[in-house]
Amino acid sequence: MPADTEPPAAPKRKPRRVNVRTPEVMERVQAEVEEHYRSRVVERLRSSGGSLTVGNTTVRLAKQFGFCYGVERAIDLAYAARRVFADSDIYLIGEIIHNPEVNRQLREMGIKNLVGAAPDAALHELGSEDVVIVPAFGAELSLMDQLESQGCLMVDTTCGDVMSVWKRVRQYAKAGFTSIIHGKANHEETRATASRARGGGDGHYLVVLTLEDCDYVCEYIARGGDRDAFLEKFKGAHSEGFDPDLHLQKVGVANQTTMLKGETEELQRRIAAAVEARDGGGEAGNFQFFDTICGATQERQDALYKMLEEPMDLLLVVGGYNSSNTTHLVEIGGGRVPTFFIRDSKCIGSLEQIVHYDLGQKGEVTSYSGALLDPARPVTVGVTAGASCPNNLIEETVLRVFELRGYSPAEVLGD
Ligand code: SF4
């Protein structure tokens, strides 16, 4: 080959995405999923307007709770993959959703783990015989590229709402805007989104979680500051080569889909004000934003605000402790009523003793609730659950509350 001739570019391998949602498969899958996660108690609560009273005990359920459309689809696809590729090794990138019960169920079906402390296989060992499920949060671009280049069969369950955020940050990168992502830097969805914010490779991003951190960024935007201190503070939360002196000139805000809506709006407002303060209000167009909180997250937050308008003795929020949207439901409840973030009904050890996740301490603690103690005293317990919580866990929680107040499942179900 002559020295000045470029070698031909390697042909780009076409991603091997498979559609496992054929009508015959889905019919069987839906029956299976329903069997695993269905709840008669939840159906009863729904049909009775979200409130169930037995004797002097009332349980109220938020109007919107539990599995969202994105999670339902992801679970359906994982079950379908197991049916379609009955004899293949199937791997999941991380957790399909943030709920230990659902992930345990998939593991029992022989779906293996690909990331974390003890993966079932090394990434580079996978090949064209292997099936890989991409979770509802999506996955980082580099990982997707690697799996596709190794020829793996991909069952992609990424939620459409997450992909909308990717579209937005790609547009920011194309227009020369840095994406400021309101979210948790180590959350799978945010990592996947951040990788798309690189655009063709020269785009930048900065992940901001709290309003305090947002104020720090705003101060830098408006008045500058110590570059090294900035980079140290946001270590692990910005793109490679990010320079706050260069890459905060034009910024676009996006968010992890499951954030608290009011907080995201406040963050947008503060960053817009900082850009305006710096540019004197005359330099239009250096700030953009797009509300990327998903509809399901919003509906669950709104439904909880609504339910909290009526008095209750305590609130139980059921869900995985690493679930972002569930955490925000706990924050909403926490300021208004005694709120307990429980993984499942086993956390309610007795009437007065509840094991729950403390957001401040970032761990499980045991608290005492006097509200349920006196059997003669009427109580109202509110229940809600994040978008990754199956109905059977909600049912067990409701039954546990009634059981501890002296009522049997038959009385609750009216059998
Ligand atoms: S919480 Fe929202 S973004 Fe996440 S899977 Fe559900 S619908 Fe999709």
Side-chain angles (χ1 to χ4, degrees), residues 270-352:
R270 291 184 191 188
I271 293 173
V275 172
E276 194 177 319
R278 180 193 62 198
D279 298 343
E283 186 76 30
N286 284 340
F287 172 79
Q288 291 184 31
F289 78 94
F290 185 70
D291 181 357
T292 51
I293 287 182
C294 80
T297 294
Q298 191 53 52
E299 283 166 11
R300 279 149 190 73
Q301 291 177 9
D302 290 347
L304 179 56
Y305 282 121
K306 185 88 193 138
M307 184 167 78
L308 288 166
E309 286 173 8
E310 301 288 327
M312 63 179 68
D313 294 283
L314 64 103
L315 173 70
L316 299 171
V317 181
V318 195
Y321 294 157
N322 56 349
S323 160
S324 168
N325 75 90
T326 315
T327 299
H328 295 309
L329 296 176
V330 176
E331 287 169 356
I332 291 171
R336 292 161 177 82
V337 66
T339 298
F340 299 92
F341 184 2
I342 60 172
R343 198 189 308 119
D344 53 40
S345 64
K346 293 184 206 75
C347 292
I348 315 173
S350 70
L351 285 176
E352 72 271 30

Coordinates of all heavy atoms in Angstrom, one line a residue, residues 270-352:
R270 N -31.9 29.2 38.8 CA -30.7 29.8 39.4 C -29.6 29.9 38.3 O -28.8 30.9 38.3 CB -30.2 29.0 40.6 CG -31.1 29.1 41.8 CD -30.6 28.4 43.0 NE -31.6 28.3 44.0 CZ -31.4 27.9 45.3 NH1 -30.3 27.5 45.7 NH2 -32.4 27.8 46.2
I271 N -29.5 28.8 37.5 CA -28.4 28.9 36.5 C -28.7 29.9 35.4 O -27.9 30.7 35.0 CB -28.2 27.5 35.8 CG1 -27.7 26.5 36.9 CG2 -27.3 27.5 34.7 CD1 -27.6 25.1 36.5
A272 N -30.0 30.0 35.1 CA -30.4 31.1 34.1 C -30.1 32.4 34.6 O -29.5 33.3 33.9 CB -31.9 31.0 33.8
A273 N -30.3 32.7 35.9 CA -30.1 34.0 36.5 C -28.6 34.2 36.6 O -28.1 35.4 36.3 CB -30.6 34.0 38.0
A274 N -27.7 33.2 36.8 CA -26.3 33.4 36.9 C -25.8 33.8 35.5 O -24.9 34.7 35.3 CB -25.6 32.1 37.4
V275 N -26.3 33.1 34.4 CA -25.8 33.4 33.1 C -26.2 34.8 32.7 O -25.4 35.6 32.1 CB -26.4 32.4 32.1 CG1 -26.1 32.8 30.6 CG2 -25.9 31.0 32.3
E276 N -27.4 35.2 33.1 CA -27.9 36.6 32.8 C -27.0 37.6 33.6 O -26.7 38.6 33.0 CB -29.4 36.7 33.2 CG -30.0 37.9 32.6 CD -31.5 38.0 32.9 OE1 -32.1 37.0 32.9 OE2 -31.9 39.1 33.2
A277 N -26.7 37.3 34.8 CA -25.9 38.2 35.6 C -24.5 38.4 35.0 O -24.0 39.5 34.9 CB -25.7 37.7 37.0
R278 N -24.0 37.3 34.4 CA -22.6 37.4 33.8 C -22.7 38.2 32.5 O -21.9 39.0 32.2 CB -22.1 36.0 33.5 CG -20.7 36.0 32.9 CD -20.4 34.7 32.3 NE -21.3 34.2 31.3 CZ -21.5 33.0 30.9 NH1 -20.8 32.0 31.5 NH2 -22.4 32.7 30.0
D279 N -23.8 37.9 31.7 CA -23.8 38.4 30.3 C -24.6 39.8 30.3 O -24.8 40.3 29.2 CB -24.5 37.4 29.4 CG -23.7 36.1 29.3 OD1 -22.5 36.1 29.7 OD2 -24.3 35.1 28.8
G280 N -25.0 40.2 31.5 CA -25.7 41.5 31.6 C -27.1 41.5 30.9 O -27.7 42.5 30.7
G281 N -27.6 40.3 30.7 CA -28.9 40.2 30.2 C -29.0 40.5 28.7 O -30.0 40.4 28.0
G282 N -27.9 41.0 28.1 CA -27.9 41.4 26.7 C -27.5 40.3 25.8 O -27.9 40.3 24.6
E283 N -26.7 39.4 26.3 CA -26.2 38.3 25.5 C -27.2 37.1 25.5 O -27.1 36.2 26.4 CB -24.9 37.8 26.0 CG -24.1 36.8 25.2 CD -23.5 37.4 24.0 OE1 -23.2 38.6 24.0 OE2 -23.4 36.6 23.0
A284 N -28.2 37.2 24.6 CA -29.2 36.1 24.6 C -28.6 34.8 24.1 O -27.6 34.8 23.4 CB -30.4 36.5 23.8
G285 N -29.2 33.7 24.5 CA -28.9 32.5 23.9 C -27.7 31.7 24.5 O -27.3 30.7 23.9
N286 N -27.2 32.1 25.7 CA -26.1 31.2 26.3 C -26.7 30.3 27.3 O -25.9 29.6 28.0 CB -25.1 32.1 26.9 CG -24.2 32.8 25.9 OD1 -24.1 32.3 24.7 ND2 -23.5 33.9 26.2
F287 N -28.0 30.2 27.4 CA -28.6 29.3 28.3 C -29.8 28.6 27.7 O -30.6 29.3 27.0 CB -29.1 30.0 29.6 CG -29.9 29.2 30.5 CD1 -29.3 28.3 31.4 CD2 -31.3 29.2 30.5 CE1 -30.0 27.4 32.2 CE2 -32.1 28.4 31.4 CZ -31.4 27.5 32.2
Q288 N -29.9 27.3 27.9 CA -31.1 26.6 27.4 C -31.5 25.6 28.4 O -30.7 25.2 29.2 CB -30.7 25.8 26.1 CG -30.5 26.6 24.9 CD -30.2 25.7 23.7 OE1 -30.8 24.7 23.5 NE2 -29.4 26.2 22.7
F289 N -32.7 25.2 28.5 CA -33.1 24.2 29.4 C -34.3 23.4 28.7 O -34.9 23.8 27.8 CB -33.5 24.7 30.7 CG -34.9 25.3 30.8 CD1 -36.0 24.5 31.2 CD2 -35.1 26.6 30.5 CE1 -37.3 25.0 31.2 CE2 -36.4 27.2 30.5 CZ -37.5 26.4 30.9
F290 N -34.4 22.2 29.3 CA -35.5 21.3 28.8 C -35.9 20.4 29.9 O -35.0 19.8 30.6 CB -34.9 20.5 27.6 CG -35.9 19.6 27.0 CD1 -36.9 20.2 26.2 CD2 -35.9 18.2 27.1 CE1 -37.8 19.4 25.6 CE2 -36.8 17.4 26.5 CZ -37.8 18.0 25.7
D291 N -37.1 20.4 30.3 CA -37.6 19.6 31.4 C -37.7 18.2 31.0 O -38.5 17.8 30.2 CB -39.0 20.1 31.8 CG -39.5 19.4 33.0 OD1 -38.8 18.4 33.5 OD2 -40.6 19.7 33.5
T292 N -36.8 17.4 31.5 CA -36.8 16.0 31.1 C -37.2 15.0 32.2 O -36.9 13.8 32.2 CB -35.4 15.6 30.6 OG1 -34.4 16.0 31.6 CG2 -35.1 16.2 29.3
I293 N -38.0 15.6 33.2 CA -38.6 14.7 34.2 C -39.7 13.9 33.5 O -40.5 14.4 32.8 CB -39.1 15.5 35.4 CG1 -37.9 16.0 36.2 CG2 -40.0 14.6 36.3 CD1 -38.3 16.8 37.4
C294 N -39.7 12.5 33.7 CA -40.6 11.7 33.0 C -42.0 11.9 33.6 O -42.2 12.2 34.8 CB -40.2 10.3 32.9 SG -40.6 9.4 34.4
G295 N -43.0 11.6 32.7 CA -44.4 11.7 33.2 C -44.8 10.8 34.4 O -45.5 11.2 35.3
A296 N -44.2 9.6 34.4 CA -44.5 8.7 35.5 C -44.0 9.2 36.8 O -44.7 9.1 37.8 CB -43.9 7.3 35.2
T297 N -42.8 9.7 36.8 CA -42.2 10.3 38.0 C -43.1 11.4 38.5 O -43.5 11.6 39.7 CB -40.8 10.8 37.8 OG1 -40.0 9.7 37.5 CG2 -40.2 11.5 39.0
Q298 N -43.5 12.3 37.6 CA -44.3 13.5 37.9 C -45.6 13.1 38.5 O -46.1 13.6 39.5 CB -44.5 14.3 36.6 CG -45.1 15.6 36.9 CD -44.3 16.4 38.0 OE1 -43.1 16.5 37.9 NE2 -45.0 16.8 39.0
E299 N -46.3 12.1 37.8 CA -47.6 11.6 38.3 C -47.5 11.1 39.7 O -48.4 11.3 40.6 CB -48.1 10.5 37.4 CG -48.7 11.0 36.1 CD -48.9 9.8 35.1 OE1 -48.8 8.6 35.5 OE2 -49.1 10.1 33.9
R300 N -46.5 10.3 40.0 CA -46.3 9.7 41.4 C -46.1 10.8 42.4 O -46.6 10.8 43.6 CB -45.2 8.7 41.4 CG -45.7 7.3 40.9 CD -44.7 6.5 40.2 NE -45.3 5.4 39.5 CZ -46.1 5.5 38.4 NH1 -46.3 6.6 37.8 NH2 -46.6 4.4 37.9
Q301 N -45.3 11.8 42.1 CA -45.1 12.9 43.0 C -46.4 13.7 43.2 O -46.7 14.0 44.4 CB -44.0 13.9 42.5 CG -42.6 13.2 42.5 CD -41.5 14.1 41.9 OE1 -41.7 15.2 41.6 NE2 -40.3 13.5 41.7
D302 N -47.1 14.0 42.1 CA -48.3 14.8 42.3 C -49.4 14.0 43.1 O -50.1 14.6 43.9 CB -48.9 15.1 40.9 CG -48.1 16.1 40.1 OD1 -47.2 16.7 40.7 OD2 -48.3 16.2 38.9
A303 N -49.4 12.7 42.8 CA -50.4 11.9 43.6 C -50.1 11.9 45.1 O -51.0 11.9 45.9 CB -50.5 10.5 43.0
L304 N -48.9 11.9 45.4 CA -48.5 11.9 46.8 C -48.8 13.2 47.5 O -49.4 13.3 48.6 CB -47.0 11.5 47.0 CG -46.5 11.5 48.5 CD1 -47.3 10.6 49.3 CD2 -45.0 11.2 48.5
Y305 N -48.5 14.3 46.8 CA -48.9 15.6 47.3 C -50.4 15.6 47.6 O -50.9 16.1 48.6 CB -48.6 16.7 46.3 CG -47.1 17.1 46.3 CD1 -46.4 17.0 45.1 CD2 -46.5 17.6 47.4 CE1 -45.0 17.4 45.1 CE2 -45.2 18.0 47.4 CZ -44.4 17.9 46.2 OH -43.1 18.3 46.2
K306 N -51.2 15.1 46.6 CA -52.6 15.1 46.8 C -53.1 14.3 48.0 O -53.9 14.7 48.8 CB -53.2 14.5 45.5 CG -54.7 14.5 45.4 CD -55.2 15.8 44.8 CE -56.7 15.9 44.9 NZ -57.1 17.2 45.3
M307 N -52.5 13.0 48.1 CA -52.9 12.2 49.2 C -52.6 12.8 50.6 O -53.3 12.7 51.5 CB -52.2 10.8 49.1 CG -52.6 9.8 50.2 SD -52.1 8.1 49.8 CE -50.4 8.2 50.3
L308 N -51.4 13.6 50.6 CA -51.0 14.2 51.8 C -51.9 15.4 52.2 O -51.8 15.9 53.3 CB -49.6 14.6 51.7 CG -48.5 13.5 51.7 CD1 -47.2 14.0 51.3 CD2 -48.4 12.8 53.1
E309 N -52.8 15.8 51.4 CA -53.7 16.9 51.7 C -54.7 16.4 52.8 O -55.2 17.2 53.6 CB -54.6 17.3 50.5 CG -53.7 18.2 49.5 CD -54.5 18.5 48.3 OE1 -55.7 18.2 48.2 OE2 -53.9 19.0 47.3
E310 N -55.0 15.1 52.9 CA -55.8 14.5 53.9 C -54.9 14.1 55.1 O -53.8 13.5 54.8 CB -56.6 13.3 53.4 CG -57.5 13.6 52.2 CD -58.7 14.4 52.6 OE1 -59.2 14.2 53.7 OE2 -59.1 15.3 51.8
P311 N -55.4 14.2 56.3 CA -54.5 13.8 57.5 C -54.2 12.3 57.5 O -55.1 11.5 57.1 CB -55.3 14.2 58.7 CG -56.7 14.5 58.3 CD -56.6 14.8 56.8
M312 N -53.1 11.9 57.9 CA -52.7 10.5 58.1 C -51.7 10.4 59.3 O -51.1 11.4 59.6 CB -52.2 9.9 56.9 CG -50.9 10.4 56.4 SD -50.3 9.6 54.9 CE -51.5 10.2 53.7
D313 N -51.7 9.2 59.9 CA -50.8 9.1 61.0 C -49.3 8.8 60.6 O -48.4 9.2 61.3 CB -51.3 7.9 61.9 CG -52.6 8.3 62.5 OD1 -52.6 9.1 63.5 OD2 -53.7 7.8 62.0
L314 N -49.2 8.1 59.6 CA -47.8 7.8 59.1 C -47.9 7.4 57.6 O -48.9 7.0 57.1 CB -47.1 6.8 59.9 CG -47.6 5.4 59.9 CD1 -46.8 4.5 59.0 CD2 -47.5 4.8 61.4
L315 N -46.7 7.5 56.9 CA -46.7 7.2 55.5 C -45.6 6.1 55.3 O -44.5 6.3 55.9 CB -46.3 8.4 54.7 CG -46.0 8.2 53.2 CD1 -47.3 7.9 52.5 CD2 -45.4 9.5 52.6
L316 N -45.9 5.1 54.6 CA -44.9 4.1 54.2 C -44.6 4.2 52.8 O -45.5 4.2 51.9 CB -45.5 2.7 54.5 CG -45.8 2.4 56.0 CD1 -46.6 1.0 56.1 CD2 -44.6 2.3 56.9
V317 N -43.4 4.4 52.4 CA -43.0 4.4 51.0 C -42.2 3.2 50.7 O -41.1 2.9 51.3 CB -42.1 5.7 50.7 CG1 -41.7 5.8 49.3 CG2 -42.8 7.0 51.1
V318 N -42.7 2.4 49.8 CA -42.1 1.1 49.5 C -41.2 1.1 48.3 O -41.7 1.6 47.2 CB -43.2 0.0 49.3 CG1 -42.5 -1.4 49.4 CG2 -44.3 0.1 50.3
G319 N -40.0 0.6 48.4 CA -39.2 0.6 47.2 C -37.7 0.3 47.5 O -37.3 0.2 48.6
G320 N -36.9 0.1 46.4 CA -35.5 -0.2 46.6 C -34.8 1.1 47.1 O -35.1 2.2 46.7
Y321 N -33.9 0.9 48.0 CA -33.2 2.0 48.6 C -32.3 2.8 47.7 O -32.0 3.9 47.9 CB -32.3 1.5 49.8 CG -33.1 0.9 51.0 CD1 -32.5 0.0 51.8 CD2 -34.4 1.3 51.2 CE1 -33.2 -0.5 52.9 CE2 -35.1 0.7 52.3 CZ -34.5 -0.2 53.1 OH -35.2 -0.7 54.2
N322 N -32.0 2.2 46.5 CA -31.2 2.9 45.6 C -32.0 3.5 44.4 O -31.5 3.9 43.4 CB -30.0 2.0 45.0 CG -30.6 0.7 44.4 OD1 -31.8 0.4 44.6 ND2 -29.8 0.0 43.6
S323 N -33.3 3.5 44.6 CA -34.2 4.0 43.6 C -34.4 5.5 43.7 O -34.9 6.0 44.8 CB -35.6 3.3 43.7 OG -36.6 4.1 43.1
S324 N -34.0 6.2 42.7 CA -34.0 7.7 42.8 C -35.5 8.2 42.9 O -35.7 9.1 43.8 CB -33.4 8.2 41.5 OG -33.6 9.6 41.4
N325 N -36.4 7.7 42.1 CA -37.8 8.3 42.2 C -38.4 8.0 43.5 O -39.2 8.8 44.0 CB -38.6 7.9 41.0 CG -39.1 6.5 41.1 OD1 -40.1 6.2 41.6 ND2 -38.3 5.5 40.6
T326 N -38.1 6.8 44.1 CA -38.7 6.5 45.4 C -38.1 7.4 46.5 O -38.9 7.9 47.3 CB -38.3 5.0 45.7 OG1 -38.6 4.2 44.6 CG2 -39.2 4.5 46.9
T327 N -36.8 7.7 46.4 CA -36.2 8.6 47.3 C -36.9 10.0 47.4 O -37.1 10.5 48.4 CB -34.7 8.8 46.9 OG1 -34.1 7.5 47.0 CG2 -34.0 9.7 47.9
H328 N -37.3 10.4 46.2 CA -37.9 11.7 46.2 C -39.3 11.7 46.8 O -39.8 12.7 47.3 CB -37.9 12.3 44.7 CG -36.6 12.6 44.2 ND1 -35.7 13.3 45.0 CD2 -35.9 12.2 43.1 CE1 -34.5 13.4 44.3 NE2 -34.6 12.7 43.2
L329 N -40.0 10.5 46.6 CA -41.3 10.4 47.3 C -41.1 10.5 48.8 O -41.9 11.1 49.5 CB -42.0 9.1 46.9 CG -42.3 8.9 45.5 CD1 -42.9 7.5 45.2 CD2 -43.4 9.9 45.0
V330 N -40.0 9.9 49.3 CA -39.7 9.9 50.8 C -39.5 11.4 51.2 O -39.9 11.8 52.2 CB -38.5 9.1 51.1 CG1 -38.1 9.2 52.5 CG2 -38.8 7.6 50.7
E331 N -38.8 12.1 50.4 CA -38.5 13.5 50.7 C -39.8 14.3 50.8 O -40.0 15.2 51.6 CB -37.5 14.2 49.6 CG -36.1 13.7 49.7 CD -35.3 14.1 48.5 OE1 -35.8 14.7 47.6 OE2 -34.1 13.8 48.6
I332 N -40.7 14.1 49.8 CA -42.0 14.8 49.8 C -42.7 14.5 51.1 O -43.2 15.4 51.8 CB -42.8 14.4 48.6 CG1 -42.2 14.9 47.3 CG2 -44.2 14.9 48.7 CD1 -42.8 14.4 46.0
G333 N -42.8 13.2 51.5 CA -43.6 12.8 52.7 C -42.9 13.3 53.9 O -43.6 13.7 54.9
G334 N -41.6 13.2 54.0 CA -40.8 13.5 55.2 C -41.1 14.8 55.8 O -41.1 14.9 57.0
G335 N -41.3 15.8 55.0 CA -41.5 17.2 55.6 C -42.9 17.3 56.1 O -43.2 18.4 56.7
R336 N -43.8 16.4 55.9 CA -45.2 16.6 56.2 C -45.8 15.6 57.3 O -46.7 16.0 58.0 CB -46.1 16.5 54.9 CG -45.8 17.7 54.0 CD -46.2 17.3 52.6 NE -46.0 18.5 51.7 CZ -44.8 18.7 51.1 NH1 -43.8 18.0 51.3 NH2 -44.7 19.8 50.3
V337 N -45.3 14.4 57.3 CA -45.9 13.4 58.1 C -44.8 12.4 58.5 O -43.8 12.3 57.7 CB -47.1 12.7 57.3 CG1 -46.6 12.0 56.1 CG2 -47.9 11.9 58.2
P338 N -44.9 11.7 59.6 CA -43.8 10.6 59.9 C -43.8 9.7 58.7 O -44.8 9.0 58.4 CB -44.4 10.0 61.2 CG -45.2 11.0 61.8 CD -45.8 11.8 60.7
T339 N -42.6 9.6 58.1 CA -42.5 8.8 56.8 C -41.4 7.7 57.0 O -40.3 8.0 57.5 CB -42.1 9.8 55.7 OG1 -43.1 10.7 55.5 CG2 -41.9 9.0 54.4
F340 N -41.7 6.5 56.5 CA -40.8 5.4 56.6 C -40.5 4.8 55.2 O -41.5 4.4 54.6 CB -41.3 4.3 57.6 CG -41.6 4.9 59.0 CD1 -42.8 5.4 59.3 CD2 -40.5 4.9 59.9 CE1 -43.0 5.9 60.6 CE2 -40.7 5.4 61.2 CZ -42.0 5.9 61.5
F341 N -39.2 4.8 54.9 CA -38.8 4.3 53.6 C -38.5 2.8 53.8 O -37.4 2.5 54.3 CB -37.6 5.1 53.1 CG -37.1 4.8 51.7 CD1 -37.7 3.8 50.9 CD2 -36.0 5.5 51.2 CE1 -37.2 3.6 49.6 CE2 -35.5 5.2 50.0 CZ -36.1 4.3 49.2
I342 N -39.3 1.9 53.3 CA -39.1 0.5 53.6 C -38.9 -0.3 52.3 O -39.5 0.1 51.3 CB -40.3 -0.2 54.4 CG1 -41.6 0.0 53.7 CG2 -40.4 0.5 55.8 CD1 -42.7 -0.8 54.3
R343 N -38.1 -1.3 52.4 CA -37.8 -2.2 51.2 C -39.0 -3.1 51.0 O -39.4 -3.3 49.8 CB -36.5 -3.0 51.5 CG -35.9 -3.5 50.2 CD -34.8 -4.5 50.5 NE -33.8 -4.0 51.3 CZ -33.4 -4.6 52.5 NH1 -34.1 -5.6 52.9 NH2 -32.5 -4.1 53.3
D344 N -39.5 -3.6 52.0 CA -40.7 -4.5 51.9 C -41.4 -4.7 53.3 O -40.9 -4.0 54.3 CB -40.3 -5.9 51.3 CG -39.2 -6.5 52.1 OD1 -39.2 -6.5 53.3 OD2 -38.3 -7.1 51.4
S345 N -42.4 -5.5 53.3 CA -43.2 -5.6 54.6 C -42.3 -6.2 55.8 O -42.7 -6.0 56.9 CB -44.4 -6.6 54.3 OG -43.9 -7.9 54.0
K346 N -41.2 -6.9 55.5 CA -40.4 -7.4 56.6 C -39.8 -6.3 57.4 O -39.4 -6.6 58.5 CB -39.3 -8.4 56.0 CG -39.9 -9.6 55.3 CD -38.7 -10.5 54.9 CE -39.2 -11.4 53.7 NZ -39.2 -10.7 52.5
C347 N -39.8 -5.1 56.9 CA -39.2 -4.0 57.6 C -40.1 -3.6 58.8 O -39.7 -3.0 59.7 CB -39.0 -2.8 56.7 SG -37.7 -3.0 55.5
I348 N -41.4 -4.0 58.7 CA -42.3 -3.6 59.8 C -42.3 -4.8 60.8 O -43.2 -5.7 60.7 CB -43.8 -3.4 59.2 CG1 -43.7 -2.5 58.0 CG2 -44.6 -2.7 60.3 CD1 -45.0 -2.3 57.3
G349 N -41.4 -4.8 61.7 CA -41.2 -5.9 62.6 C -42.3 -6.0 63.6 O -42.7 -7.1 63.9
S350 N -42.8 -4.9 64.1 CA -43.9 -5.0 65.0 C -44.6 -3.6 64.9 O -44.2 -2.8 64.1 CB -43.3 -5.1 66.5 OG -42.6 -4.0 66.9
L351 N -45.6 -3.5 65.7 CA -46.4 -2.3 65.6 C -45.6 -1.0 65.9 O -45.8 0.0 65.3 CB -47.6 -2.3 66.7 CG -48.7 -3.3 66.3 CD1 -49.7 -3.3 67.4 CD2 -49.4 -2.8 65.0
E352 N -44.7 -1.1 66.8 CA -43.9 0.1 67.1 C -42.6 0.2 66.5 O -41.9 1.3 66.5 CB -43.8 0.2 68.7 CG -42.8 -0.7 69.3 CD -43.5 -2.0 69.8 OE1 -44.4 -2.5 69.1 OE2 -43.0 -2.6 70.7

